[in-house]
Amino acid sequence: MAIDAVIPFKPKNPKTRLSCVMEQEERETFARAMLADVIAASCEGGCSPRLLCTAPYLHPTAEVCVDADGLNESLNRVLSAASSPLLIIMGDLPLADGAAIRRLVSTEADMGIVPGRGGGTNAIFLRHPGRFRADYYGASFLKHMAIADEAGLSVEVIDSFRLHTDVDEKEDLVEVLIHGRGEARRCLQSLGFVLSVEGGRVGVERRTHKETL
Amino acid sequence: MAIDAVIPFKPKNPKTRLSCVMEQEERETFARAMLADVIAASCEGGCSPRLLCTAPYLHPTAEVCVDADGLNESLNRVLSAASSPLLIIMGDLPLADGAAIRRLVSTEADMGIVPGRGGGTNAIFLRHPGRFRADYYGASFLKHMAIADEAGLSVEVIDSFRLHTDVDEKEDLVEVLIHGRGEARRCLQSLGFVLSVEGGRVGVERRTHKETL
């Protein structure tokens, strides 16, 4: 049986730290493209995606649950209700692929965890979801390791840059343009983003329609 | 027979982008600590470390070769002279571990490559070093993929955040304090660096000796 992959998703005004380079509607389109990549990777990795949305959202294939409460509160409700192994994976991981997710859900430990950059948590696989509780924001990786330790859960940290790379800021778009293979990369390209190299450092710049022609 | 792991290393005035938080002597100490972690991981991963230094440097266990020329020039001399499989791995990867290096050098492809953050290349394993040439700086990951393609080499991109995380800037120290297990982490701690969480974002701050007491 496929493992449920719970993917928190904010359809309205997401990724505000990208406001410097994208309008709200573009950020919403880009967030949906990243979500599509995470959904595709979850399916390839043998999971069944279930969106946990902060506002009503229609998705053609994935099951959608709406919970306007905070991320931790809504996730912890899902965890207490779950009776089988569960994956929590963020929706802003456009480099995710089936191989990395399969490594994560194949752990022999009670819990597999993938840290995000800067102390965050990008994905958690739980063999017994009821024994764990989520505590996102801040240095959540350390908090989640402590919660697992208190609960007596064995933990494997999964070593994947594809699941480690979350996209929040302009600099992160470099990773999508270089390593992305799916919708998020195509979305950035259609918005006119290209790589730029200046003084040996790689960044992104946005070409207007006129320049692209 | 162990695979040679060539580790470029700059003993004098390294990591200048850390100047905002470390004096030159401290940066040299920290660079040596990161190098120690890479050497330990290389040995655990079944490789035999060989330092390629820009200036004379004494190391208690690893073989040292001094070449004051540019990184690409000196590496390409090593590549043309090599007659057996070779690993090139940067010295600023303090999260490196034996498991990740073993995955890299066990690839069935002609070449295994680990991208660094921001378009760089952190490690390359070459089954036939003479068929490849190094082209570091800028978007070197894309350049190395193109060089491999031109040379007809099959390539596997190794998915590891431990080898993906190179340390250049103050923000990168967060990763060392959270995920490091070796010398580099201990070095940062002895220099007074601690994690700080402000407004949900994780950073580092440096406590002076007085504050620490």
Side-chain angles (χ1 to χ4, degrees), chain B residues 1-8 42 46-52 63 74-89 101 104-107 109-113 122-134 136 153:
Chain B
M1 205 183 70
I3 293 159
D4 278 342
V6 176
I7 311 173
S42 299
C47 298
S48 176
R50 281 176 52 195
L51 307 188
L52 182 60
E63 190 191 317
S74 56
L75 275 176
N76 285 330
R77 266 193 284 278
V78 171
L79 291 177
S80 356
S83 56
S84 55
L86 193 84
L87 172 66
I88 300 170
I89 180 165
I101 289 180
L104 171 56
V105 302
S106 309
T107 179
D110 297 323
M111 170 170 142
I113 184 167
N122 286 354
I124 306 179
F125 171 68
L126 293 157
R127 210 162 284 288
H128 311 287
R131 291 172 61 190
F132 188 78
R133 65 185 166 82
Y136 280 88
L153 304 177

Side-chain angles (χ1 to χ4, degrees), chain A residues 17 100 103 115 117-119 138-139 141-142 158-162 164 169 172 174-175 178-179 195 197 200-202, chain B residues 17 100 103 115 117-119 138-139 141-142 158-162 164 169 172 174-175 178-179 195 200-202:
Chain A
R17 280 148 73 189
R103 273 204 281 144
R117 194 165 167 83
F141 176 76
L142 294 175
I158 306 298
D159 181 12
S160 163
F161 87 84
R162 295 202 152 269
H164 176 69
E169 300 186 348
D172 302 329
V174 171
E175 310 304 323
I178 293 184
H179 301 291
L195 290 173
V197 184
R201 306 255 193 116
V202 182
Chain B
R17 281 149 72 189
R103 273 205 280 144
R117 194 165 166 84
F141 175 77
L142 294 175
I158 306 298
D159 181 12
S160 162
F161 87 84
R162 295 202 152 269
H164 176 70
E169 299 185 349
D172 302 329
V174 171
E175 310 305 323
I178 293 183
H179 301 291
L195 290 174
R201 305 255 193 116
V202 182

Side-chain angles (χ1 to χ4, degrees), chain A residues 33-115:
Chain A
M34 293 201 287
L35 177 66
D37 291 340
V38 173
I39 288 175
S42 300
C43 294
E44 270 173 54
C47 298
S48 174
R50 281 177 52 195
L51 307 188
L52 182 61
C53 297
T54 51
Y57 179 66
L58 268 179
H59 190 276
T61 55
E63 190 190 317
V64 173
C65 163
V66 177
D67 190 332
D69 209 344
L71 178 63
N72 290 321
E73 292 72 15
S74 55
L75 275 177
N76 285 330
R77 266 192 284 279
V78 171
L79 291 177
S80 355
S83 56
S84 55
L86 193 83
L87 172 66
I88 300 170
I89 180 165
M90 294 297 128
D92 60 352
L93 310 176
L95 308 187
D97 67 8
I101 289 179
R102 208 172 281 277
R103 273 204 281 144
L104 171 56
V105 301
S106 308
T107 181
E108 289 182 10
D110 297 322
M111 170 170 141
I113 184 167
V114 186

Side-chain angles (χ1 to χ4, degrees), chain B residues 14-61:
Chain B
K15 295 290 153 198
T16 50
R17 281 149 72 189
L18 289 174
S19 300
C20 52
V21 286
M22 289 185 203
E23 300 297 331
Q24 177 173 337
E25 201 183 319
E26 293 169 334
R27 284 185 278 114
E28 291 174 356
T29 304
F30 181 56
R32 284 196 301 271
M34 294 201 286
L35 177 66
D37 291 339
V38 174
I39 288 176
S42 299
C43 294
E44 270 173 53
C47 298
S48 176
R50 281 176 52 195
L51 307 188
L52 182 60
C53 296
T54 51
Y57 180 66
L58 268 179
H59 191 275
T61 55

